[in-house]
Amino acid sequence: TRDLFQQLCPLVLELAPVLARPDFVLQHFERFIEAYGPRAALYEMLLINPKLLELLFKLFDHSQFFGEILISQPVLLESIAFEDLLVGTQNRTEMTGRLVREIAETQEGRLLLFKNSELLRIALRDILGLADSAEETQAELSLLADVCLNSVFSLQPSAFSPPLCVIALGKYGGRDLTYGADLDVLFIGGTVEEAARIIAQLGGKRGGTGTFKIDARLRPDGEDGPLTLPLEAYAHYYRERAQFWERQALTRARVAAGDAKTGASFLKLVDELIYSRPLSAAELREMTAMRERIEKERGDTDDPVRDFKTGSGGLVDVEFLAQAQQLRHGCRHEPLRRASTLEILRAMPSIAGWKSEKSATLIKDYNWLRKLEGVLRRDQNAAISQLPSRREQWKMAARWMGLKDSAALESELMARRKQIRKMVDGLL
């Protein structure tokens, strides 16, 4: 074992200095060795497959959360690395098939273990540059949420019956789900008990770490309203009492799980509510005012540079622009009604006459911000919308983004945000 470790040392000393936090990585590598079991077998495997050592080091460097998953379940290293699971994306059939096989082997806790295994696979493809883009990673995270949510229905078919349907909203609805994000949903039909059971089974029990956390606060009357309502009650609420922002939230509505017929009826209602006519000038002013309010209320007024999401020229600027175009043109162009932010931006040159180079620049800057959001959220698998308050803590994010230091990150961030705000103001 000592001889094998001595052979491994040069590889360790070659890889460690180029990492963003080498000491942190070596500490996690030591913990992984302890958890793995027979050390000689591990060292031999890493010597035969030096790319595996690089995989381990990059994972520990880029994400404490996913590193902890691997340390707690070391067997995942071999299953992911040697079953060609990193080669390409998984489609719904492949992912569902793996879940069914896992559940069949051991019922207790398998949904959470499957979710963590898939999250680790997706994160590794992202970290190693095997995913084509952040968009591909977000699509796989959204698919994983879909598969886990549908498994709650399929594993207990007698516990849920029509017309219960789950509608995805927000980033989840747009298949833009990021690390650590909650699932924004509406429950249509069924009973409050059934909806509560889905939240409990998908989100875990007794406050522990669950599979995915469900957020149903976008329902009529928010947290004061019942978890689920009949379709007719939704129709009455949106027609008579809903504010404009509540209808705006429906731009990302899609059927995620449950009764397909109920889901189709709800989407037909959505089309009637928000796509029966173009966005009016008064509604556009309301959207703009809401965007300004978000920037003012959620941002850091003392250090606005940190606010890559809600600040001037941040992610929300681009997403509001895309939704405005969706509401403006969706009545005449049906594919826009179920489109993501990037799909809308790509369609604008042909639909709204945008200059292709302007659209391409906006997409490039938006993708850069999404990548920054992704590397920050990936570390803890948590919802993060701002850079750390201390500039010295930006160094890791800079390295993860391929930049030299904190100053380079700040310069790049502000240049892109300034460009985004200028384009958004012009296009709105």
Side-chain angles (χ1 to χ4, degrees), residues 112-124:
L112 176 58
L113 293 176
F114 168 80
K115 172 254 196 176
N116 284 344
S117 173
E118 281 297 294
L119 274 179
L120 182 60
R121 179 188 64 80
I122 293 167
L124 279 170

Side-chain angles (χ1 to χ4, degrees), residues 295-312:
E295 182 179 336
K296 189 178 296 184
E297 292 176 358
R298 298 187 188 176
D300 184 340
T301 54
D302 295 328
D303 190 5
V305 178
R306 299 172 54 220
D307 296 325
F308 62 84
K309 182 173 182 178
T310 60
S312 174

Side-chain angles (χ1 to χ4, degrees), residues 410-428:
E410 182 169 353
S411 176
E412 182 85 4
L413 174 61
M414 291 313 298
R416 289 183 183 273
R417 285 177 53 187
K418 185 177 179 180
Q419 186 166 253
I420 285 174
R421 174 49 71 96
K422 184 178 179 181
M423 283 193 289
V424 168
D425 285 346
L427 291 167
L428 274 176

Side-chain angles (χ1 to χ4, degrees), residues 156-208:
Q156 294 182 315
S158 61
F160 309 101
S161 57
L164 180 62
C165 175
V166 184
I167 300 293
L169 300 175
K171 289 288 199 320
Y172 179 37
R175 294 185 174 87
D176 291 333
L177 206 62
T178 52
Y179 297 107
D182 296 343
L183 306 186
D184 289 321
V185 305
L186 294 176
F187 294 101
I188 316 294
T191 66
V192 170
E193 291 74 23
E194 288 176 328
R197 191 179 302 128
I198 291 172
I199 292 173
Q201 292 187 3
L202 202 66
K205 300 174 182 177
R206 300 190 182 94

Side-chain angles (χ1 to χ4, degrees), residues 1-303:
T1 303
R2 287 197 198 95
D3 288 343
L4 289 168
F5 183 75
Q6 289 298 323
Q7 294 175 54
L8 196 62
C9 273
L11 290 173
V12 170
L13 295 173
E14 180 183 341
L15 289 169
V18 300
L19 302 171
R21 42 184 180 183
D23 289 345
F24 177 87
V25 170
L26 290 175
Q27 289 165 6
H28 277 64
F29 183 47
E30 180 184 14
R31 290 178 56 209
F32 178 78
I33 292 169
E34 292 281 353
Y36 186 84
R39 297 186 182 195
L42 174 61
Y43 297 156
E44 191 168 14
M45 179 174 68
L46 295 176
L47 285 167
I48 294 171
N49 303 279
K51 284 290 182 184
L52 273 183
L53 182 64
E54 183 180 357
L55 178 152
L56 276 174
F57 275 30
K58 284 187 174 181
L59 177 66
F60 295 147
D61 190 41
H62 285 75
S63 178
Q64 181 174 347
F65 176 85
F66 293 109
E68 293 291 348
I69 287 180
L70 189 59
I71 289 169
S72 67
Q73 302 170 63
V75 69
L76 292 177
L77 176 68
E78 295 172 48
S79 64
I80 289 173
F82 296 126
E83 292 180 19
D84 292 330
L85 296 179
L86 297 179
V87 174
T89 60
Q90 296 274 294
N91 61 37
R92 180 182 288 269
T93 302
E94 291 168 332
M95 197 180 286
T96 302
R98 288 189 63 218
L99 174 57
V100 169
R101 290 193 296 273
E102 295 251 359
I103 295 288
E105 291 171 10
T106 316
Q107 287 279 347
E108 187 65 31
R110 293 308 296 184
L111 182 58
L112 176 58
L113 293 176
F114 168 80
K115 172 254 196 176
N116 284 344
S117 173
E118 281 297 294
L119 274 179
L120 182 60
R121 179 188 64 80
I122 293 167
L124 279 170
R125 281 178 44 77
D126 181 18
I127 290 166
L128 297 173
L130 299 175
D132 290 339
S133 62
E135 187 177 10
E136 181 177 288
T137 298
Q138 292 150 16
E140 278 214 276
L141 288 170
S142 303
L143 175 59
L144 175 59
D146 280 353
V147 169
C148 290
L149 179 58
N150 278 273
S151 74
V152 175
F153 283 84
S154 61
L155 291 172
Q156 294 182 315
S158 61
F160 309 101
S161 57
L164 180 62
C165 175
V166 184
I167 300 293
L169 300 175
K171 289 288 199 320
Y172 179 37
R175 294 185 174 87
D176 291 333
L177 206 62
T178 52
Y179 297 107
D182 296 343
L183 306 186
D184 289 321
V185 305
L186 294 176
F187 294 101
I188 316 294
T191 66
V192 170
E193 291 74 23
E194 288 176 328
R197 191 179 302 128
I198 291 172
I199 292 173
Q201 292 187 3
L202 202 66
K205 300 174 182 177
R206 300 190 182 94
T209 301
T211 309
F212 283 103
K213 184 180 177 183
I214 294 279
D215 187 341
R217 290 178 294 176
L218 289 173
R219 64 187 184 269
D221 297 316
E223 290 180 291
D224 294 329
L227 267 179
T228 186
L229 289 166
L231 181 63
E232 297 76 15
Y234 277 99
H236 181 268
Y237 177 83
Y238 284 118
R239 287 172 182 150
E240 303 296 330
R241 295 201 292 126
Q243 299 181 53
F244 174 73
W245 69 265
E246 292 179 280
R247 297 198 302 275
Q248 181 186 342
L250 298 177
T251 55
R252 293 293 179 269
R254 67 176 177 86
V255 179
D259 185 59
K261 185 177 178 181
T262 301
S265 297
F266 183 80
L267 294 184
K268 186 177 179 180
L269 171 65
V270 170
D271 289 349
E272 174 200 323
L273 291 166
I274 63 177
Y275 296 120
S276 58
R277 57 173 176 77
L279 182 73
S280 69
E283 289 168 336
L284 179 58
R285 286 194 296 272
E286 191 170 342
M287 285 187 72
T288 304
M290 186 194 312
R291 172 67 194 94
E292 291 170 353
R293 190 162 60 250
I294 290 172
E295 182 179 336
K296 189 178 296 184
E297 292 176 358
R298 298 187 188 176
D300 184 340
T301 54
D302 295 328
D303 190 5

Side-chain angles (χ1 to χ4, degrees), residues 179-182 377 380-385:
Y179 297 107
D182 296 343
R377 285 175 168 238
Q380 299 291 335
N381 195 40
I384 294 173
S385 303

